Amino acid sequence: MSSTTTSANVSHPMPPASADLATTWAFLEEGVDHIMTKLQTGVSYSKYMSLYTVAYNYCTSSRMHNTTTDTVGQGSRTGANLMGSDLYNNLIRYFITHLKLLKDQSDSLQDEALLRYYASEWDRYTTGANYINRLFTYLNRHWVKRERDEGRKGVYPVYTLALVQWKSNFFLHVQSKHTKLAGAILRLIERQRNGETIDQGLVKKVVDSFVSLGLDESDINKASLDVYREHLETPFLDATEKYYEQESEAFLAESSVSDYLKKAEERLKEEEDRVDRYLNTDTRKQLVSKCEHVLIRQHSDLMWESFQSLLDFDKDEDLQRMYALLSRIPEGLEPLRKKFEEHVKKAGLAAVAKLLGEGSEGADSLDPKAYVDALLEVHRKNSDTVTRSFRGEAGFVASLDKACREFVNRNSATGSSTTKSPELLAKHADMLLRKNNKMAEEEDLEGALNRVMVLFKYIEDKDVFQTFYATKLSKRLIHGVSASDESEASMISKLKEACGFEYTNKLQRMFTDMSLSKDLTDQFKERMANHEDMDINFSIMVLGTNFWPLSAPNNDFIIPPEILPTYDRFSKYYQTKHSGRKLTWLWNYSKNELRTNYLNQKYILMTSSYQMSVLLQYNKHDTLSLEELITATAISKDILTQVLTLLVKAKVLINEETDQYDLNPNFKSKKIRVNLNQPIKAEVKAESSEVLKTVDEDRKYVIQATIVRIMKARKTMKNQPLIQEVISQISQRFAPKIPDIKKAIDTLLEKEYIERVDGTRDTFAYVA
C-alpha cells in the first residue's frame, strides 16, 4: 500500500512524450489513485486532459523500453504492443493493491454494517473505474481490441478489468468467509418476511453488484448472471423453500383453510413484489414456482377437501382465492371441476325433488312454469359462481354444462322418460307466448324466452321439444292467441340459431300459411260480396299438411245446413284457384260464434264446430235424446258425450233425464260473449301421446336417412363404426338408441339401399 500513499503525497510533473515507463506510470498512478479514492474532491479538466494525453503518448510511442518482465500480453512482441501491455499490467497491480485495503477493512464487519461498507465502496469503485476506463480509451480501442481479436485470454477493456479484479480480489474473499455477503442479504430478507422494515435500496445495490460481476468470456458485452445465480439466487431459493415450509405448517396447525388461502395469496404477492424491488427479474419464474410448490401444491389435498364446504356456504371470496391459487399449479383445478359438477347435479336433482314434494299429484300434474323456474334457478346460481369465483374458466363452464345436461334430462319428475323435460319446456314456452299471459306482463318477455333457450341448450331430445312446440304453435295460430308476431318470430330465430334452418323450417312455413290464408279469405269475401245469403262472417285457414302437426278427425261429421252453402262455395272457389289440391276439413279445430234469439238478453256463444252442430239442432227441437243427436251430427258417442257434458255444465242445455238434453230457456250469464269452447279431456291426453308417436315415427326416418347419407359418402363401413357415426351425427337432435339404429340397418338391407359385403358378417356396402 506504501506506493499508493507516496504517489498521493508527491505531485509528479507531466512527463514528456518520450518519457520512460517508470516516469509515465508514476504520473498516471497518482491521477488514477486520486480518481479511485478522492473523486469527491474533484478533478480539474486540465489535469484530466493531461492524464489522458500521457496515456495516449505512451501507447503511441514506438520506442523500445528495456522493461522486460513476463506479464500479460507481452510474449516476444515489441513496440506499441509492448507499451500497451506495460500500462495494462501496471493497472492490474494498482487494482490488486487498492482492493487489499478494502479486504482488510471488511474483515471485521458483519451483516448490515458489511453491506453498507460493501455498497458504498462498490459505488466509489465503479464510478472511479468508469472515469479511468475513459482515460485509457486509446488503450481499449487499439491494444485491448487487438489482443482480444487475436484470442488472448484474460485481457479486457479497463472497466471490465476493474470488475474482474473486484470479483477475484474482494468479492470472493468476503463471500468465502461463510458466504458473509449473501448470508447478510438473506438475513435481511428473512427479517422483512417477518414484518420488519429493511433498507431495500441497500439490498438492491448489493444484489445489482452480483449481476454486474457476471462475465461472459465469449462476449464481454453480454450480461451474464453466473455470479448472481451461484452466490445469491440458489441459496435464496433454498432459504425461501425452508422458510415457507415451516411457516405454512405452523399456520395451518392453528388456523382455518380460509385464513390460509388469504395468507398464501399475500405471500405470493409479496414474493413477486420482492423481485420487482431488489432481485433480478430472471429470478421471478423460479421463485414463483418454488413458492407455488410449497404454499399450494404441498397443501392442495387440504384445499380440495375443503372446497365442498365453501360451495355449500357460498363463500365467494374464498372460492375466488382457492381458484386463483390452484390454477397456478398443473392439474390443480381438475378435482375442483369434478366436485363442482357433482355439486350442481345434486342441487338440480334436489330442486326437482322438492318441487314434487310440494305438489300432491306428482309428476303428471307438474306446473311447467314451476319446473322450468326451479331448473333455471339452479343454473343461474351456479353460473354466477362460475363467472364470479372461477372467472368463467372453460373447464368449470364445461362442468356446469355437463351437470345441467344430466339433471335437466334425468330427475325425479322425468323418471326413465327422456321426453318429459322437452315437453314441459315447450308447454312453458307456449304459456309465455300466449295473449293475456301474466308472466309476459310482469317481466320482459324477451328475457323469459332467452331463459327458455338456456334450458333448451341442455335438452337431449330436441326433436321432442320441436314437435311439442310445433303442436302448441299451431294451436296458438289457429285460435289467434299469440302474444305478438314479434315474439313468435324472435323465438323461432333463437331456435334457428341453436339448431339450424332445418329445425325451424316447418315453424316458419306455418306463418307463411297464416299470411296466405288471410289473403285467401279477403279474396273469397270480395268474390262473394254480391251474394245475398252470405250473411255469415267467414274466415278460412288453408294449412299445408306437411308443415302442420294437425290430424284430421277420424269420425264422420254432418255439416249443418246453415253453413253448407258457404262450405260448398269455398270448396268450388278453391278448386278453381288450385286444381288438383285436396282440402281436408279439420272440424275438430274449427270454431264458431252463435247468436241467441230465444232469450230476452242476446248472447254470443263462442263454440267449437261440434258444439255448434249440437246447438243448431235446437232451432227445430226443444229436447233431443243422445241417439237423436248422434244421428243428426254423426259425431262419435264418446266425443259427443264430452261435448254435451260441457254444454250442460255451462247451463246452456239441461240434462234431467238420462241421455235426454233440453235447451235451457232460463240461461243467464254475466258476460255477453260466452266462451263454451273448452278443450275436452280426450283431446288433451291424445295430444301428448300423438306427439310422442309422431316423434317415434320421425326418428325412424331420420336414422335411416342418416345411415344412407353416411354410406353414400363412405361406400363401405363396418357395423360398429357405422353405429358410432350415426350417434355422433344425430346426437344434436336426440340421443338415438342402438337397437333403433340396428333396426334401421335391417330395414335398409331389406329395401336394398345397402347390402352385406360377401364373406363378412359385419361390413356393409352402399348400393348405388
Side-chain angles (χ1 to χ4, degrees):
M1 212 31 235
S2 56
S3 64
T4 314
T5 45
T6 315
S7 64
N9 296 333
V10 180
S11 186
H12 295 277
M14 180 176 168
S18 58
D20 63 4
L21 176 63
T23 312
T24 302
W25 179 247
F27 179 76
L28 286 174
E29 186 178 24
E30 179 201 351
V32 166
D33 190 59
H34 182 86
I35 289 169
M36 291 300 286
T37 58
K38 303 189 193 70
L39 190 60
Q40 70 277 15
T41 62
V43 179
S44 69
Y45 180 71
S46 59
K47 176 74 173 170
Y48 188 81
M49 281 314 294
S50 59
L51 287 165
Y52 181 92
T53 308
V54 169
Y56 173 82
N57 286 343
Y58 188 77
C59 286
T60 52
S61 159
S62 58
R63 288 180 308 99
M64 276 289 291
H65 292 282
N66 297 322
T67 49
T68 52
T69 33
D70 189 17
T71 44
V72 175
Q74 198 167 303
S76 59
R77 288 173 299 163
T78 58
N81 289 343
L82 191 58
M83 303 299 171
S85 72
D86 287 339
L87 282 184
Y88 191 81
N89 288 318
N90 275 321
L91 272 171
I92 292 177
R93 279 194 287 274
Y94 170 77
F95 285 135
I96 291 170
T97 312
H98 175 71
L99 290 165
K100 183 177 184 314
L101 176 65
L102 303 192
K103 256 193 316 198
D104 296 343
Q105 287 181 336
S106 72
D107 282 347
S108 61
L109 299 172
Q110 294 284 350
D111 289 337
E112 206 166 337
L114 173 66
L115 294 179
R116 289 199 185 287
Y117 176 73
Y118 178 93
S120 69
E121 287 304 327
W122 169 259
D123 266 355
R124 193 203 312 265
Y125 185 83
T126 49
T127 309
N130 245 315
Y131 279 101
I132 291 165
N133 187 54
R134 290 204 287 277
L135 269 187
F136 290 95
T137 300
Y138 193 84
L139 182 73
N140 285 338
R141 204 175 286 161
H142 295 278
W143 184 80
V144 170
K145 184 179 183 304
R146 190 164 56 246
E147 293 288 312
R148 288 192 64 78
D149 287 349
E150 289 173 11
R152 188 168 292 277
K153 296 273 186 268
V155 177
Y156 312 101
V158 171
Y159 183 73
T160 308
L161 173 69
L163 295 182
V164 169
Q165 294 303 321
W166 174 278
K167 178 186 163 189
S168 52
N169 291 294
F170 181 51
F171 173 81
L172 291 176
H173 167 78
V174 181
Q175 266 293 85
S176 65
K177 298 190 173 181
H178 313 298
T179 62
K180 251 166 98 172
L181 208 52
I185 295 172
L186 297 182
R187 283 189 287 281
L188 268 188
I189 292 174
E190 184 167 341
R191 278 167 54 192
Q192 190 180 34
R193 283 176 177 151
N194 291 336
E196 293 182 42
T197 305
I198 63 164
D199 183 347
Q200 297 185 136
L202 173 64
V203 176
K204 180 165 176 51
K205 205 168 274 183
V206 179
V207 169
D208 286 349
S209 82
F210 281 55
V211 176
S212 302
L213 292 175
L215 183 67
D216 184 340
E217 288 287 354
S218 60
D219 180 0
I220 54 173
N221 295 316
K222 206 164 143 197
S224 164
L225 293 173
D226 51 357
V227 173
Y228 171 77
R229 291 216 170 100
E230 180 191 341
H231 292 278
L232 182 66
E233 187 181 76
T234 305
F236 167 71
L237 292 172
D238 291 343
T240 301
E241 185 173 23
K242 284 196 192 82
Y243 182 87
Y244 284 127
E245 271 177 352
Q246 288 168 0
E247 183 186 74
S248 57
E249 289 293 342
F251 191 87
L252 277 166
E254 50 193 46
S255 306
S256 68
V257 172
S258 291
D259 290 338
Y260 178 71
L261 295 172
K262 279 184 208 155
K263 183 77 171 169
E265 188 179 57
E266 284 163 14
R267 284 308 205 184
L268 282 161
K269 189 173 182 323
E270 277 173 30
E271 292 306 319
E272 293 211 27
D273 288 349
R274 195 178 314 291
V275 177
D276 295 334
R277 289 201 183 109
Y278 49 72
L279 295 172
N280 185 270
T281 50
D282 265 48
T283 304
R284 182 186 303 275
K285 196 173 174 188
Q286 285 189 72
L287 173 61
V288 169
S289 167
K290 185 78 75 177
C291 291
E292 285 170 350
H293 180 78
V294 178
L295 294 171
I296 306 171
R297 181 169 281 293
Q298 289 187 356
H299 302 291
S300 54
D301 286 349
L302 196 58
M303 292 189 204
W304 293 331
E305 280 165 30
S306 61
F307 177 66
Q308 188 61 52
S309 73
L310 298 184
L311 275 178
D312 292 341
F313 295 104
D314 299 324
K315 300 273 191 185
D316 268 345
E317 282 186 20
D318 291 337
L319 286 170
Q320 285 171 30
R321 277 196 196 95
M322 187 177 284
Y323 168 80
L325 291 173
L326 287 169
S327 65
R328 300 172 73 134
I329 62 168
E331 302 305 313
L333 294 176
E334 196 46 41
L336 299 194
R337 293 188 193 113
K338 285 184 179 142
K339 283 175 188 277
F340 180 65
E341 183 187 324
E342 203 49 43
H343 171 79
V344 176
K345 189 172 140 190
K346 276 185 188 160
L349 295 175
V352 177
K354 184 178 177 220
L355 197 63
L356 284 177
E358 287 166 3
S360 52
E361 294 170 49
D364 287 339
S365 64
L366 204 53
D367 171 27
K369 179 181 183 326
Y371 180 73
V372 169
D373 285 350
L375 298 182
L376 278 171
E377 179 51 29
V378 174
H379 177 270
R380 184 202 60 76
K381 184 173 184 233
N382 290 289
S383 178
D384 286 352
T385 302
V386 170
T387 310
R388 211 171 39 237
S389 302
F390 310 136
R391 298 179 196 166
E393 192 263 346
F396 281 97
V397 172
S399 294
L400 174 70
D401 288 348
K402 209 168 160 194
C404 290
R405 197 168 294 113
E406 192 56 39
F407 74 71
V408 165
N409 291 289
R410 284 166 285 281
N411 55 52
S412 48
T414 64
S416 59
S417 156
T418 55
T419 60
K420 192 71 182 170
S421 273
E423 178 184 346
L424 287 166
L425 188 62
K427 285 180 175 172
H428 174 65
D430 176 52
M431 286 183 221
L432 287 174
L433 289 162
R434 280 174 176 271
K435 267 182 195 163
N436 308 327
N437 159 36
K438 284 181 189 166
M439 283 181 271
E441 290 165 18
E442 286 166 17
E443 57 179 332
D444 165 34
L445 178 56
E446 187 64 15
L449 295 178
N450 283 334
R451 287 191 286 282
V452 167
M453 292 310 295
V454 168
L455 287 190
F456 176 78
K457 178 174 90 168
Y458 299 121
I459 294 284
E460 283 173 1
D461 289 354
K462 289 187 168 59
D463 58 339
V464 175
F465 176 90
Q466 179 194 30
T467 315
F468 269 108
Y469 188 85
T471 306
K472 295 291 184 187
L473 172 63
S474 67
K475 302 277 174 61
R476 290 199 296 280
L477 294 178
I478 288 169
H479 300 309
V481 293
S482 259
S484 74
D485 285 353
E486 291 79 18
S487 300
E488 293 285 5
S490 168
M491 186 63 186
I492 287 174
S493 93
K494 290 180 205 301
L495 292 169
K496 185 176 178 180
E497 200 179 312
C499 295
F501 167 76
E502 207 179 310
Y503 190 84
T504 55
N505 187 22
K506 285 185 179 180
L507 306 179
Q508 284 172 316
R509 284 300 297 263
M510 286 157 80
F511 281 93
T512 308
D513 283 353
M514 292 302 289
S515 171
L516 292 172
S517 296
K518 187 177 179 302
D519 296 345
L520 188 65
T521 300
D522 292 343
Q523 289 159 12
F524 178 65
K525 278 183 183 168
E526 251 177 67
R527 182 81 174 269
M528 297 294 136
N530 51 2
H531 285 265
E532 288 171 13
D533 60 344
M534 276 293 291
D535 65 336
I536 292 175
N537 194 353
F538 167 86
S539 67
I540 189 83
M541 294 176 202
V542 179
L543 314 174
T545 313
N546 293 336
F547 309 116
W548 289 74
L550 305 172
S551 45
N554 44 19
N555 53 294
D556 294 330
F557 180 66
I558 295 170
I559 300 165
E562 287 85 346
I563 63 167
L564 194 56
T566 310
Y567 167 83
D568 286 338
R569 276 185 197 136
F570 181 78
S571 297
K572 283 175 190 150
Y573 171 73
Y574 191 77
Q575 284 309 318
T576 58
K577 274 181 81 76
H578 305 284
S579 63
R581 285 195 191 172
K582 181 179 176 240
L583 285 176
T584 305
W585 290 78
L586 305 177
W587 298 110
N588 45 337
Y589 294 107
S590 304
K591 55 184 181 171
N592 315 82
E593 289 185 0
L594 304 178
R595 272 197 302 275
T596 61
N597 293 319
Y598 67 100
L599 302 163
N600 294 333
Q601 171 69 57
K602 297 249 193 287
Y603 293 106
I604 292 173
L605 306 178
M606 293 181 280
T607 65
S608 69
S609 291
Y610 294 160
Q611 289 171 330
M612 179 245 338
S613 69
V614 167
L615 291 174
L616 287 177
Q617 305 306 317
Y618 289 90
N619 279 335
K620 302 189 186 75
H621 308 276
D622 287 336
T623 179
L624 287 159
S625 69
L626 180 62
E627 288 306 319
E628 286 167 332
L629 284 168
I630 290 171
T631 308
T633 61
I635 301 170
S636 65
K637 186 175 180 178
D638 59 332
I639 300 260
L640 186 60
T641 309
Q642 291 188 58
V643 169
L644 289 166
T645 306
L646 275 171
L647 292 172
V648 170
K649 192 178 174 190
K651 297 183 179 168
V652 177
L653 298 180
I654 303 168
N655 172 220
E656 288 171 340
E657 298 169 45
T658 309
D659 292 349
Q660 193 68 30
Y661 296 90
D662 305 344
L663 189 65
N664 179 9
N666 301 315
F667 173 76
K668 279 196 178 102
S669 167
K670 287 177 184 172
K671 292 180 180 174
I672 300 296
R673 292 174 67 82
V674 183
N675 184 14
L676 302 174
N677 190 5
Q678 303 296 327
I680 54 180
K681 278 181 189 168
E683 286 176 359
V684 177
K685 276 198 176 163
E687 182 184 272
S688 283
S689 56
E690 200 64 41
V691 165
L692 297 179
K693 212 158 88 187
T694 309
V695 168
D696 283 343
E697 278 306 305
D698 286 351
R699 281 184 178 183
K700 282 179 197 165
Y701 297 121
V702 168
I703 294 172
Q704 287 176 26
T706 307
I707 293 170
V708 170
R709 198 166 54 242
I710 293 167
M711 290 303 297
K712 193 174 182 181
R714 302 285 181 86
K715 304 300 182 232
T716 63
M717 215 169 174
K718 281 187 176 295
N719 184 47
Q720 205 49 42
L722 176 59
I723 289 174
Q724 289 310 316
E725 186 60 29
V726 170
I727 291 171
S728 129
Q729 287 197 19
I730 296 180
S731 57
Q732 286 301 309
R733 272 178 70 85
F734 61 90
K737 297 183 177 73
I738 289 175
D740 292 345
I741 300 174
K742 287 180 174 171
K743 209 178 283 177
I745 291 172
D746 291 340
T747 307
L748 292 171
L749 285 166
E750 276 172 39
K751 291 181 179 174
E752 296 185 354
Y753 280 95
I754 57 174
E755 62 187 10
R756 289 187 196 277
V757 174
D758 290 343
T760 66
R761 282 190 59 224
D762 66 344
T763 306
F764 305 109
Y766 177 68
V767 180

mmCIF file of all heavy atoms in Angstrom, residues 384-397:
data_model
loop_
_atom_site.group_PDB
_atom_site.id
_atom_site.type_symbol
_atom_site.label_atom_id
_atom_site.label_comp_id
_atom_site.label_asym_id
_atom_site.label_seq_id
_atom_site.Cartn_x
_atom_site.Cartn_y
_atom_site.Cartn_z
ATOM 1 N N ASP A 384 -73.520 -18.025 -11.988
ATOM 2 C CA ASP A 384 -72.936 -16.845 -11.314
ATOM 3 C C ASP A 384 -71.648 -17.219 -10.601
ATOM 4 O O ASP A 384 -70.660 -16.479 -10.618
ATOM 5 C CB ASP A 384 -73.924 -16.254 -10.294
ATOM 6 C CG ASP A 384 -75.058 -15.500 -10.984
ATOM 7 O OD1 ASP A 384 -74.970 -15.333 -12.221
ATOM 8 O OD2 ASP A 384 -76.017 -15.096 -10.307
ATOM 9 N N THR A 385 -71.671 -18.387 -9.947
ATOM 10 C CA THR A 385 -70.467 -18.846 -9.238
ATOM 11 C C THR A 385 -69.313 -19.039 -10.221
ATOM 12 O O THR A 385 -68.182 -18.633 -9.948
ATOM 13 C CB THR A 385 -70.750 -20.177 -8.493
ATOM 14 O OG1 THR A 385 -71.834 -19.963 -7.591
ATOM 15 C CG2 THR A 385 -69.536 -20.659 -7.726
ATOM 16 N N VAL A 386 -69.609 -19.633 -11.373
ATOM 17 C CA VAL A 386 -68.554 -19.852 -12.384
ATOM 18 C C VAL A 386 -67.973 -18.509 -12.835
ATOM 19 O O VAL A 386 -66.766 -18.334 -12.931
ATOM 20 C CB VAL A 386 -69.104 -20.631 -13.606
ATOM 21 C CG1 VAL A 386 -68.103 -20.635 -14.744
ATOM 22 C CG2 VAL A 386 -69.435 -22.058 -13.202
ATOM 23 N N THR A 387 -68.871 -17.544 -13.093
ATOM 24 C CA THR A 387 -68.402 -16.242 -13.584
ATOM 25 C C THR A 387 -67.626 -15.502 -12.502
ATOM 26 O O THR A 387 -66.552 -14.959 -12.749
ATOM 27 C CB THR A 387 -69.622 -15.385 -14.008
ATOM 28 O OG1 THR A 387 -70.440 -16.177 -14.852
ATOM 29 C CG2 THR A 387 -69.184 -14.129 -14.729
ATOM 30 N N ARG A 388 -68.187 -15.507 -11.298
ATOM 31 C CA ARG A 388 -67.624 -14.673 -10.219
ATOM 32 C C ARG A 388 -66.411 -15.332 -9.580
ATOM 33 O O ARG A 388 -65.363 -14.710 -9.417
ATOM 34 C CB ARG A 388 -68.714 -14.445 -9.186
ATOM 35 C CG ARG A 388 -68.635 -13.126 -8.462
ATOM 36 C CD ARG A 388 -69.849 -12.854 -7.611
ATOM 37 N NE ARG A 388 -70.340 -14.035 -6.942
ATOM 38 C CZ ARG A 388 -71.576 -14.511 -7.067
ATOM 39 N NH1 ARG A 388 -72.434 -13.906 -7.842
ATOM 40 N NH2 ARG A 388 -71.969 -15.596 -6.439
ATOM 41 N N SER A 389 -66.557 -16.587 -9.208
ATOM 42 C CA SER A 389 -65.497 -17.238 -8.433
ATOM 43 C C SER A 389 -64.456 -17.933 -9.286
ATOM 44 O O SER A 389 -63.311 -18.066 -8.878
ATOM 45 C CB SER A 389 -66.110 -18.263 -7.471
ATOM 46 O OG SER A 389 -67.028 -17.621 -6.622
ATOM 47 N N PHE A 390 -64.868 -18.410 -10.490
ATOM 48 C CA PHE A 390 -63.918 -19.175 -11.310
ATOM 49 C C PHE A 390 -63.586 -18.449 -12.615
ATOM 50 O O PHE A 390 -63.131 -19.056 -13.576
ATOM 51 C CB PHE A 390 -64.473 -20.579 -11.610
ATOM 52 C CG PHE A 390 -64.962 -21.310 -10.381
ATOM 53 C CD1 PHE A 390 -66.162 -22.010 -10.395
ATOM 54 C CD2 PHE A 390 -64.228 -21.282 -9.197
ATOM 55 C CE1 PHE A 390 -66.627 -22.676 -9.251
ATOM 56 C CE2 PHE A 390 -64.679 -21.942 -8.062
ATOM 57 C CZ PHE A 390 -65.877 -22.640 -8.087
ATOM 58 N N ARG A 391 -63.900 -17.153 -12.650
ATOM 59 C CA ARG A 391 -63.544 -16.276 -13.796
ATOM 60 C C ARG A 391 -63.998 -16.821 -15.141
ATOM 61 O O ARG A 391 -63.327 -16.642 -16.156
ATOM 62 C CB ARG A 391 -62.024 -16.042 -13.834
ATOM 63 C CG ARG A 391 -61.522 -15.326 -12.603
ATOM 64 C CD ARG A 391 -60.038 -15.127 -12.628
ATOM 65 N NE ARG A 391 -59.544 -14.791 -11.298
ATOM 66 C CZ ARG A 391 -58.266 -14.821 -10.956
ATOM 67 N NH1 ARG A 391 -57.355 -15.167 -11.839
ATOM 68 N NH2 ARG A 391 -57.882 -14.501 -9.739
ATOM 69 N N GLY A 392 -65.122 -17.548 -15.119
ATOM 70 C CA GLY A 392 -65.681 -18.078 -16.371
ATOM 71 C C GLY A 392 -64.763 -19.064 -17.073
ATOM 72 O O GLY A 392 -64.848 -19.248 -18.291
ATOM 73 N N GLU A 393 -63.905 -19.733 -16.297
ATOM 74 C CA GLU A 393 -62.904 -20.657 -16.886
ATOM 75 C C GLU A 393 -63.603 -21.803 -17.630
ATOM 76 O O GLU A 393 -64.598 -22.360 -17.172
ATOM 77 C CB GLU A 393 -62.021 -21.194 -15.744
ATOM 78 C CG GLU A 393 -60.781 -21.911 -16.235
ATOM 79 C CD GLU A 393 -60.936 -23.414 -16.301
ATOM 80 O OE1 GLU A 393 -61.892 -23.977 -15.731
ATOM 81 O OE2 GLU A 393 -60.086 -24.048 -16.937
ATOM 82 N N ALA A 394 -63.076 -22.120 -18.818
ATOM 83 C CA ALA A 394 -63.741 -23.083 -19.718
ATOM 84 C C ALA A 394 -64.022 -24.426 -19.053
ATOM 85 O O ALA A 394 -65.074 -25.034 -19.274
ATOM 86 C CB ALA A 394 -62.884 -23.297 -20.964
ATOM 87 N N GLY A 395 -63.105 -24.921 -18.218
ATOM 88 C CA GLY A 395 -63.292 -26.219 -17.561
ATOM 89 C C GLY A 395 -64.491 -26.225 -16.623
ATOM 90 O O GLY A 395 -65.256 -27.200 -16.561
ATOM 91 N N PHE A 396 -64.688 -25.108 -15.883
ATOM 92 C CA PHE A 396 -65.839 -25.024 -14.969
ATOM 93 C C PHE A 396 -67.133 -24.834 -15.752
ATOM 94 O O PHE A 396 -68.183 -25.334 -15.365
ATOM 95 C CB PHE A 396 -65.643 -23.883 -13.963
ATOM 96 C CG PHE A 396 -64.717 -24.251 -12.838
ATOM 97 C CD1 PHE A 396 -63.381 -23.898 -12.880
ATOM 98 C CD2 PHE A 396 -65.165 -24.978 -11.749
ATOM 99 C CE1 PHE A 396 -62.503 -24.258 -11.868
ATOM 100 C CE2 PHE A 396 -64.307 -25.346 -10.725
ATOM 101 C CZ PHE A 396 -62.975 -24.983 -10.785
ATOM 102 N N VAL A 397 -67.063 -24.107 -16.872
ATOM 103 C CA VAL A 397 -68.248 -23.950 -17.732
ATOM 104 C C VAL A 397 -68.664 -25.332 -18.241
ATOM 105 O O VAL A 397 -69.850 -25.684 -18.227
ATOM 106 C CB VAL A 397 -67.944 -23.001 -18.920
ATOM 107 C CG1 VAL A 397 -69.101 -22.988 -19.908
ATOM 108 C CG2 VAL A 397 -67.663 -21.593 -18.415
#
